[in-house]
Amino acid sequence: MTTALRDLISNPNTAELELIARYGMQPEDPRRERLFEAFAQTGLPTRRMEAWKWTDFKAALSALDRPASQSASDPLASDDALCFRFSPDGFEYPKDLPEGIHLFVKPEPQALGSAEDVPLGALAAALAGSKTRPGTLMIEVTAADLPRLHFAFGGEGEASFARVTIVVRPGAELSVSESYLGGAGFLSSVFEYSLQGDAKLNRTVYQRGADQETMAATALVQLEGASEYTQTSLAFGAKLARLETRLVHKEAGAKAIMNAAYLVGKGLHADITTHVRHGAPSCITRQMTKGAVLDGGTGVFQGKFHVPRTAGQYTDADMQHKALLLEEGAVVFAKPELEIYADDVECAHGNTCGALDANQLFYMRQRGIPERAARALLTEAFIAEAVETAGDLKDILRDEASNWLAES
Amino acid sequence: MPAYMRTMLKIENLTATVGEEDEAKTIINGLDLEVPAGEVHAIMGPNGAGKSTLSYVLTGRDGYEVTGGSATLNGEDILGMDPEERAAKGLFLSFQYPVEIPGVPVMTFVRAAMNSQRKARGEDEISAPDFIKKSRELGQKLKLDADMLKRPLNVGFSGGEKKRLEIYQMMMLEPKFLILDETDSGLDIDALKTVSDGVNAMRSPDRGMLVITHYQRLLDHIQPDKVHVLAKGRIIATGGPELAHRLEKEGYDGVLGEVA
Ligand SMILES: Nc1ncnc2c1ncn2[C@@H]1O[C@H](COP(=O)(O)OP(=O)(O)OP(=O)(O)O)[C@@H](O)[C@H]1O
Ligand SMILES: [Mg+2]
């Protein structure tokens, strides 16, 4: 490894040195270099960076270690879906794909737009693949009525990196799911979704993790034409887990729905971060995030709508975040932000945080429902709205939430 | 001893406070009351007398602290039990202000309540078809249409609809002892009849009822065996149905002035 590389990151910790070493093992490529540099500008994000003030990866990830924990089972796996499996050792993908899905497996990295804004996304793109195996999966979708594409991240190991690019052509429709099941000490993935014309995409993200695992799943979404993007996430947290989405409305008439639920137990941390840029007039964004946190758990919600002066005219956008502190000692940080420069827009946001209602609990107990069950029922009902949008997977997400509530 | 002569609810010299420790206020103040199985007793009393407080103390609401006396249901001390335990023992409160439970449909809620109670009593769960059949029959009796029972409990329901839903739950759960806290308030004339018919259908030799109301009108529909007047945290007068008529005519001042 060259000293030049080492100097890329100031005051690197062991994990960062190990990441630099991994980069040094990658085949040389100018695009990869730019990607890694984008990461190296900041290194592992720390609380000193505004966008990471509640989710400090440098503090949480001191070295790349294999955790004692194993990956969880995958509720979204199904024989009806086309399954792509990622682990710290690489990935497998289905060899037979239906017409309308075209897969390109590229050994060399591709350029990543706005890489500087997503340091862990840039890192994932730089470290995905190796000398002996391909790094980037590119998928082009040209039809509707296709089986769901499922991306499962499991398997045990020190670290796992992945990059997937999906282009949905005009008129095409697709359901995609991503399951992050833990097992790796550190995981970073970056998914790029590009929707064109009146394409439709429904994306579901499921995340589980343990208290020795850190993970970041970054999605970069571009909506062109009157395309429609729906996203539903359910996160249970890890030592640190961050689900970040950066979405750009690029042409008039695009619509995005971005919902998320987080359920966080003791010793875990789940971060839902979104950034939406209304870069074209008359686009719609609907966002609902709901969280429930137990003693010793931490939930983070950061949401931002950016509406530029001319391009963002006639924007219609709504952002809601509601969190339940289920026990004393639960922590939730929330920062909903509207940055609006256009003057003819409808933008709203709401943010609430509180405990379960004592009147409701007493009423339920008076009818014979034990306190624990009453709490679970109220919390499940509270969360349900946020996972409604997951299409065929909504019942699975709701069951997962309900099982978690029953067990905790 | 036949069931109807047995005392079901027995309250002796009960005192209770409401509110946080440092500003706890004594609201129930030396209250005695006995309701035998098979009887319906009415409680009337001025606003703020402690009627709802009594119902919350009996059902175990947080923030209502018993500071003296006792209350037993069928000989068992209920004051030490959790609210859900009391419910499983058959104690039911129809709330003066029923609470909205967002996201939980009426039928889901009642089924959870019924099965929780059954489980606590060591009984089998009700089967889904049996539950649905029973719910449908009661819905028809109480003029609650099927769509209403699929909506989240009490959310967006009118005042009168909420009261009818309380009676629906009561009839589904078949409790042993009922406390109705101003179930008549907010009901139109027809609904009052529907609700009263429901309550009367629940009258039985092994069931007791405490009916809290301000209006004689309800007692025309639900004939009480006894009428008690609660004021300043205790029962200060007890009589037959005629006492309610006198209160209606003379007001509390007239009647209380005399007993006090
Ligand atoms: N949490 C509380 N803190 C302080 N005082 C309370 C609290 N709850 C009730 N009280 C007081 O206790 C008294 C009795 O209230 P309660 O609701 O039992 O009256 P009530 O007899 O049911 O009246 P109404 O006929 O108006 O329903 C009132 O003076 C009320 O203000
Ligand atoms: Mg009252």
Side-chain angles (χ1 to χ4, degrees):
Chain A
M1 192 202 322
T2 63
T3 32
L5 267 180
R6 184 187 289 265
D7 291 343
L8 282 174
I9 299 173
S10 55
N11 294 321
N13 67 8
T14 308
E16 287 168 327
L17 291 174
E18 288 175 298
L19 292 168
I20 293 170
R22 280 181 180 241
Y23 170 65
M25 311 268 288
Q26 293 282 41
E28 266 183 58
D29 185 300
R31 285 167 298 193
R32 190 188 310 281
E33 196 176 329
R34 274 196 292 284
L35 288 166
F36 196 77
E37 273 172 9
F39 162 70
Q41 279 180 17
T42 60
L44 289 171
T46 76
R47 73 192 62 172
R48 284 191 297 280
M49 298 159 67
E50 180 62 22
W52 301 84
K53 63 180 172 187
W54 294 310
T55 302
D56 186 326
F57 268 85
K58 189 158 180 166
L61 184 62
S62 50
L64 302 187
D65 290 323
R66 197 189 167 105
S69 40
Q70 294 191 323
S71 54
S73 62
D74 186 359
L76 302 187
S78 153
D79 291 342
D80 305 333
L82 293 163
C83 221
F84 297 72
R85 286 175 210 291
F86 294 75
S87 76
D89 303 320
F91 61 83
E92 294 165 24
Y93 51 92
K95 296 292 175 290
D96 286 324
L97 291 169
E99 229 168 280
I101 298 180
H102 315 274
L103 177 68
F104 309 92
V105 183
K106 304 252 177 185
E108 72 278 11
Q110 310 293 308
L112 181 71
S114 65
E116 312 70 42
D117 296 329
V118 285
L120 294 181
L123 176 72
L127 296 188
S130 69
K131 283 202 170 85
T132 52
R133 37 171 238 257
T136 308
L137 272 176
M138 295 177 75
I139 298 167
E140 183 191 21
V141 182
T142 56
D145 284 324
L146 295 166
R148 167 166 57 100
L149 299 188
H150 179 58
F151 300 86
F153 296 82
E156 288 75 36
E158 292 170 1
S160 192
F161 302 99
R163 170 156 187 203
V164 179
T165 302
I166 297 179
V167 178
V168 190
R169 297 292 184 201
E173 287 178 27
L174 186 69
S175 291
V176 171
S177 49
E178 300 165 29
S179 288
Y180 297 93
L181 304 162
F186 175 47
L187 175 143
S188 185
S189 72
V190 58
F191 276 75
E192 293 151 281
Y193 290 104
S194 173
L195 276 62
Q196 302 172 342
D198 49 356
K200 284 198 175 85
L201 181 84
N202 192 323
R203 173 186 184 228
T204 302
V205 182
Y206 174 83
Q207 182 275 325
R208 281 258 170 185
D211 61 2
Q212 294 179 3
E213 303 163 3
T214 58
M215 68 80 69
T218 307
L220 303 171
V221 184
Q222 301 207 347
L223 305 185
E224 290 167 19
S227 56
E228 229 180 282
Y229 176 80
T230 305
Q231 166 174 312
T232 312
S233 306
L234 175 61
F236 291 92
K239 183 177 190 185
L240 283 189
R242 169 138 158 157
L243 305 183
E244 176 163 351
T245 309
R246 297 181 72 88
L247 182 143
V248 185
H249 290 286
K250 296 189 78 169
E251 283 180 32
K255 179 172 184 188
I257 299 171
M258 300 164 73
N259 292 345
Y262 56 88
L263 296 169
V264 194
K266 196 175 181 64
L268 303 182
H269 176 117
D271 172 333
I272 305 290
T273 293
T274 60
H275 184 288
V276 176
R277 187 181 145 83
H278 277 259
S282 308
C283 294
I284 299 173
T285 303
R286 291 282 174 275
Q287 188 175 4
M288 165 64 75
T289 303
K290 295 226 175 164
V293 181
L294 297 172
D295 180 20
T298 303
V300 174
F301 170 74
Q302 303 183 105
K304 183 169 188 170
F305 290 164
H306 177 85
V307 184
R309 191 185 177 127
T310 313
Q313 210 63 308
Y314 317 122
T315 285
D316 175 358
D318 184 76
M319 180 197 302
Q320 301 295 329
H321 170 248
K322 296 180 186 173
L324 270 181
L325 303 170
L326 291 176
E327 297 172 335
E328 241 172 83
V331 175
V332 169
F333 297 109
K335 185 174 159 195
E337 268 184 291
L338 303 181
E339 203 177 299
I340 300 168
Y341 302 100
D343 54 13
D344 193 358
V345 300
E346 267 183 60
C347 287
H349 75 304
N351 182 32
T352 61
C353 195
L356 283 172
D357 185 279
N359 285 326
Q360 292 172 352
L361 281 172
F362 174 66
Y363 184 86
M364 296 176 86
R365 296 177 74 188
Q366 201 302 302
R367 297 293 139 95
I369 302 174
E371 183 172 12
R372 267 175 64 104
R375 288 176 167 276
L377 211 52
L378 285 175
T379 309
E380 188 189 335
F382 170 82
I383 291 295
E385 186 184 4
V387 298
E388 278 293 82
T389 40
D392 296 343
L393 301 177
K394 77 166 189 238
D395 290 338
I396 298 177
L397 295 189
R398 204 173 159 158
D399 287 348
E400 286 295 311
S402 141
N403 293 341
W404 181 86
L405 288 162
E407 286 157 19
S408 52
Chain B
M1 179 168 62
Y4 57 83
M5 289 176 64
R6 190 164 37 90
T7 294
M8 276 196 100
L9 180 72
K10 182 170 183 149
I11 304 173
E12 281 181 308
N13 199 20
L14 187 69
T15 59
T17 60
V18 180
E20 296 297 313
E21 272 173 44
D22 31 343
E23 27 193 287
K25 233 165 83 184
T26 298
I27 305 293
I28 301 299
N29 200 0
L31 187 140
D32 292 295
L33 182 67
E34 266 187 51
V35 184
E39 291 196 0
V40 174
H41 288 203
I43 291 191
M44 304 182 82
N47 292 132
K51 302 182 298 297
S52 294
T53 303
L54 175 64
S55 66
Y56 291 144
V57 170
L58 292 176
T59 49
R61 186 174 191 142
D62 276 348
Y64 293 74
E65 207 196 330
V66 176
T67 46
S70 65
T72 57
L73 185 67
N74 291 323
E76 272 189 287
D77 170 24
I78 52 169
L79 296 178
M81 296 179 188
D82 281 337
E84 53 267 39
E85 255 182 292
R86 303 182 202 203
K89 296 281 181 196
L91 187 60
F92 181 96
L93 168 63
S94 170
F95 283 60
Q96 182 172 2
Y97 304 106
V99 179
E100 299 192 355
I101 309 291
V104 184
V106 178
M107 286 175 73
T108 308
F109 179 88
V110 177
R111 202 159 160 228
M114 189 181 284
N115 285 332
S116 301
Q117 290 196 17
R118 288 181 173 219
K119 195 172 158 202
R121 295 193 290 257
E123 300 165 7
D124 286 340
E125 293 198 346
I126 188 168
S127 76
D130 287 352
F131 178 85
I132 290 166
K133 183 162 173 275
K134 185 167 178 166
S135 167
R136 191 177 300 138
E137 286 169 8
L138 278 181
Q140 278 165 4
K141 257 190 211 151
L142 293 168
K143 304 194 172 73
L144 295 163
D145 55 285
D147 285 343
M148 224 153 140
L149 299 180
K150 288 179 186 147
R151 279 165 53 187
L153 181 60
N154 292 330
V155 179
F157 285 84
S158 77
E161 287 168 345
K162 286 180 184 170
K163 293 300 175 74
R164 268 189 286 159
L165 275 174
E166 292 290 281
I167 300 304
Y168 161 81
Q169 292 179 62
M170 183 182 88
M171 296 179 78
M172 288 296 288
L173 295 170
E174 299 181 352
K176 290 255 168 284
F177 194 92
L178 326 180
I179 305 171
L180 307 180
D181 190 356
E182 294 197 27
T183 299
D184 52 335
S185 69
L187 290 181
D188 66 41
I189 296 158
D190 293 344
L192 183 68
K193 174 96 175 52
T194 311
V195 162
S196 305
D197 288 349
V199 174
N200 284 328
M202 298 285 289
R203 290 181 91 141
S204 105
D206 55 6
R207 186 174 278 134
M209 296 190 200
L210 205 50
V211 178
I212 298 169
T213 184
H214 286 295
Y215 304 109
Q216 160 56 33
R217 192 183 50 163
L218 177 72
L219 303 181
D220 286 341
H221 292 281
I222 305 172
Q223 295 270 331
D225 296 289
K226 278 191 179 151
V227 175
H228 306 277
V229 179
L230 197 165
K232 302 208 170 94
R234 62 169 68 111
I235 303 295
I236 56 154
T238 295
E242 76 288 346
L243 181 55
H245 287 283
R246 272 190 61 205
L247 286 170
E248 183 100 333
K249 270 203 226 96
E250 299 169 30
Y252 289 108
D253 282 346
V255 177
L256 299 191
E258 179 184 310
V259 274

